[in-house]
Amino acid sequence: MSKKFCQSCAMPMDKKEDFGTNADGSLSDEYCHYCFQNGKFTNPDITMEEMLKIGLKGIDENTEMSKPMKFMIKKMYPAQLKKMKRWAK
């Protein structure tokens, strides 16, 4: 099984509680609980640039990652975010 990433913020979704919910209450297999609840985006008007800022802040605040890992992920994050379903055009 391949690793799932939120198709809005690119957060890895490893545990059941990471996944958002569809309108019928089932788990979304595309979006995390931060981005998607009850079948709707939690912040429907957010821009990709705003999402990028939030994601970079989240990486900085992650206490489980080493500084070199954070540096590497932050360098790759903008390109990865552009590939997510919500932002790909």
Side-chain angles (χ1 to χ4, degrees), residues 8-87:
S8 177
C9 70
M11 180 183 97
M13 300 188 303
D14 300 316
K15 302 173 292 240
K16 182 179 176 182
E17 54 268 17
D18 293 337
F19 292 78
T21 54
N22 296 312
D24 64 2
S26 64
L27 294 179
S28 169
D29 65 344
E30 294 186 315
Y31 301 108
C32 76
H33 69 282
Y34 294 114
C35 294
F36 202 72
Q37 295 176 10
N38 301 314
K40 296 179 182 175
F41 286 113
T42 56
N43 195 343
D45 299 322
I46 195 169
T47 66
M48 191 178 81
E49 291 75 24
E50 291 168 329
M51 182 65 76
L52 180 61
K53 287 180 187 177
I54 291 169
L56 290 172
K57 182 179 179 199
I59 294 165
D60 278 336
E61 293 174 352
N62 186 312
T63 58
E64 297 177 16
M65 265 189 258
S66 66
K67 285 188 178 191
M69 180 64 76
K70 286 182 185 185
F71 178 80
M72 208 166 56
I73 291 174
K74 286 173 68 174
K75 288 291 184 189
M76 297 181 331
Y77 185 64
Q80 184 178 0
L81 190 64
K82 289 177 186 175
K83 295 177 186 176
M84 298 296 103
K85 182 177 178 179
R86 187 172 185 184
W87 312 111

